Every structure is written in C-alpha cells, then in structure tokens.
Amino acid sequence: MMSNGATSLINNIMSFFHSSKRGLKRHRNIIKSIGALFAGNLSVSILGALGGLLVARFVGPEVNGQFRIFTIPLMYLTFLQLGTFQGIQRQIPYYTGLGNPDQVEKIASVAGAWNIGVATLISIVFVGFTFWELLQYNWGAAAGWFSQAIFCWSVYYGGYLGNTFRTVNNFVTVARIQLIQSVLAFIFVFAVPFFQLYGLCLKASIPSIICVWLYHRNRPLRMPLKFDFTVFMEVLKIGAPLCFWQSLNTSLWLAAESTLMLYFGGVKALGLFSVAIVYRESVSVLPQAIFQVLKPRIAETYGRLGHMGRNLQHYSLIAAVLSVFMILVVWLVSYLLDYFVPNFIPKYIDGIQLMKICSLVAVIHAASLPLNGLFATGKGWLFGKGILAGLLVFPLAVYLLVPIIGGMLAVAVGSLIGNAVWIAVGYIDVVKLIRQDSSL
C-alpha cells in the first residue's frame, strides 16, 4: 500500500486538473497549450536529433567545433537586449492581469524598437568581421561571421517576437513556426556533406531568418514600434535585474561551458559538446513545454491577485512528479546511447559519457518549474541569488574535478553541480513564498 504522503501527493495533482468539471474547464486551455507546445517541441526535437545525427555522420567534431567557435561571441552579447525580454515576459501578463491593454502595447512597442536597433548594430559589426576575413582570404571564417550576422536577428528581434507570442498565449502559432524552422534546418542538413563548414553556416542562418519573418508576419501585437525613454526605463526597472540573472543562467552559462570546453579539450571537445547539447535539448522537450506555458500564467496570476495563492504549491507538486519521470527517461535513454553512438555516429564515440552527463539537465528543467514564482514577483535578487550561487560553484567544481576526471567531463559535471545548487537555493525562497501565500 502507498504511504499517506504519496496518496496525498497524487490526490493533490489529480485535483489540480480533474477535481470537477468546472476545474477541468478552467485548465482546459492550459492543457491544450501544453499539448500543442509539447507536440510541436517533440516534432522539433525529433527533427533536431535526426539533423544532429546526420551532421555528426557527415562531419567530424573538429569541423563542428570550428563552426561553434563563431557562435560563442553572440552568446556573450545576448545580454544587450538589456532585460527587454524579461520585461515583457513579466510585465505583459502582469498588466494583462490588471486589465491595462494600453500599457501592454507601450511596453511591446519600446521593446521591439530597442531589439531591432541592437540587431542592426550587431549585424553591422559581424559584417565588418566578414569583410576583414575576406581581405585575408579566410573564406571559412568569413562564412562563419556572416552566418552570425544573419543569425543575430533571430536572437534579438526573433527573441522579442517569440516572447510576445507566449505572453499573449499564442502557443499554437509558436509551435507551428518552430516546426517550420526545424523542417527547413533539417533540409539544409543535406548541404553539410557537400559544403562542410559552409553547409553548417547555411543550416544555421537561412532557417533562422525565415523563422523571424514568419514571427513578424504573424505577430499578435501590431502596434508601431517606437522608442520611448520613459517606458523603456520602466521595462528595464523590472527586466534588467531579471535579465542579468537569467542571462547568467542561460546564454552566459552556455558560453562559459563552451569556452571551458574549448580551453580544456580544444576544437574536438567543443564539437563533441555541440552534439551533447542537441541531445540534452531533445530529452528536455516535455519540461520545456510545461515551463513555457505556465511561466506567463504565473505572472498573470500575480498581477491579478498580488500573490500566487495555492498555485505555487500545485506547481511544486507537478515539478516533483515531472522530475521523477525525467530521471526515468534519462536513465532509459542513457542505455540506448551505448548502442546508438558507436553504430550511427562513431566519430563521436568519445562523447558518450559527456552526452549522458548533459542529459541530466532535463531533470533540472523539470525541477525549476516553481522558480517561476520568484520571477513573477519581479524582485531580481530573489530570483537571482540562487543563480549566482550556482555560477560560483560551477567553476570551483570544474577546478576540483579536472585532475580526477579530465577537463571535458569536469566542465559537464561542474555545470550540473552548479545547476543543482541554483535549484536548492531557489527552493528555499519558494517555500517562503508558499508560506506567505498560505497565510493570506
């Protein structure tokens, strides 16, 4: 027989979705959105995995790593959006909950204008690098920089548009566009065996710019994009602190991983890591879908009520069950790698252990769901101190592990330990929020 604690956990989760017909109707849109994103993300993940498999068969880790070198600067430069992404992630659903559509449009207009300006500037810089490499007859480097000049539009303007879709709950459209981008990226995989590095550049740049065009054509908020300093400062007041911490946890964390991989293992290690990234993103498809749908809803609830009520408890229970499920998925898939890699992508056999370690990040994604409650409060330090703790532990763990397991694996394990510390510190504040909301 199950324990009382296990029975209570199951009853709470079931009651969240199925306690009554009215409860089911209330959550039907959430379930539908998660289903649409999960189906879309699963299709994207399958295409991405197949594409990554074919690329790994066509080119070795050295060529893959050579291309990835050109992507590292843009990872560090992502912060130039200055918190406009986080500002609209939090403020648009927040003001929607308050019933203030005029402010929603003002925020979206300013954020869009800023990111178009940043994309233009970064693109010009990368085009300058392209011409410099052409003058030196470095054709491969020129292609690499030019691909990033195109791809940066996906990072800034595409990132802005993608966030406006999610904050107004157009998840089905997001899933459809992402699927189209993945199909195009898969098609361009077949240019890789003929053009090698140049094929990788085409695969990265062309589908991404088409995706930006589709986002723009179908954008849900169609007001003119106009820069207003007063509104911009309001967005940054909330978004900049959140951007700082979130950038540390996403693009800058990934950039640090890539840089350390290059430092300890050279271009080959960076190429092996690029395949491990594809693998860990594929395994993380379900928690990412749930994360994307519930994040704006938590902020909207906070804007409407001034607190999250009992919802944060429900999300914590869902995260617990989802984390256990993802542990089982990672455990099962890790066994398949031992057969899959030697038989299908033998050039990457040295990266099997790296892939297994990186796949555990899917469990981190699942466990991080309740931390959206910290984001919804708009208090940067509340959200960020766990990330800071994790980022400090990450390089320390790498330093201690290098003599034991080698540089490449030390980076992967150290990153995982840093992420675990981030989750642990964040949950301390989640528990405090739950207690505060329970007393209301």
Side-chain angles (χ1 to χ4, degrees), residues 197-386:
L197 176 63
Y198 304 103
L200 291 174
C201 294
L202 289 172
K203 177 179 175 292
S205 57
I206 303 302
S208 67
I209 201 65
I210 292 175
C211 176
V212 172
W213 173 74
L214 289 172
Y215 272 142
H216 178 80
R217 190 186 68 172
N218 296 281
R219 61 195 185 280
L221 300 174
R222 293 181 171 270
M223 68 283 141
L225 301 182
K226 184 175 66 173
F227 187 81
D228 183 305
F229 184 77
T230 302
V231 178
F232 182 67
M233 292 306 297
E234 179 189 341
V235 174
L236 261 59
K237 183 178 179 180
I238 292 292
L242 295 174
C243 169
F244 175 75
W245 299 116
Q246 203 167 61
S247 293
L248 286 181
N249 193 39
T250 53
S251 59
L252 292 178
W253 195 300
L254 178 59
E257 288 178 316
S258 300
T259 303
L260 289 171
M261 285 288 179
L262 182 62
Y263 175 77
F264 285 114
V267 173
K268 181 179 180 180
L270 191 58
L272 295 173
F273 182 56
S274 68
V275 174
I277 291 173
V278 173
Y279 172 65
R280 79 181 182 188
E281 291 300 315
S282 300
V283 177
S284 302
V285 59
L286 177 59
Q288 285 178 346
I290 296 176
F291 187 96
Q292 290 171 5
V293 171
L294 294 183
K295 184 175 184 177
R297 293 183 182 276
I298 294 173
E300 184 177 343
T301 299
Y302 188 81
R304 186 173 63 253
L305 302 178
H307 59 87
M308 280 152 282
R310 296 182 59 83
N311 286 342
L312 202 53
Q313 295 183 44
H314 295 313
Y315 296 143
S316 298
L317 292 172
I318 294 170
V321 175
L322 183 61
S323 297
V324 172
F325 175 74
M326 292 311 303
I327 289 173
L328 295 175
V329 170
V330 169
W331 175 75
L332 175 63
V333 176
S334 66
Y335 278 98
L336 299 178
L337 283 175
D338 292 324
Y339 170 78
F340 175 79
V341 175
N343 288 281
F344 291 93
I345 49 174
K347 295 177 182 178
Y348 291 79
I349 196 169
D350 292 338
I352 292 179
Q353 198 62 33
L354 178 63
M355 295 178 199
K356 290 182 178 181
I357 295 170
C358 287
S359 68
L360 289 169
V361 172
V363 181
I364 299 294
H365 283 309
S368 68
L369 178 60
L371 272 59
N372 283 317
L374 306 180
F375 182 90
T377 65
K379 299 175 181 177
W381 176 243
L382 190 66
F383 176 72
K385 59 185 177 182

Side-chain angles (χ1 to χ4, degrees), residues 78-96:
T78 303
F79 81 93
L80 289 177
Q81 51 95 2
L82 292 188
T84 51
F85 292 176
Q86 290 74 19
I88 60 180
Q89 285 172 11
R90 197 269 182 178
Q91 295 297 79
I92 287 182
Y94 178 79
Y95 280 112
T96 299

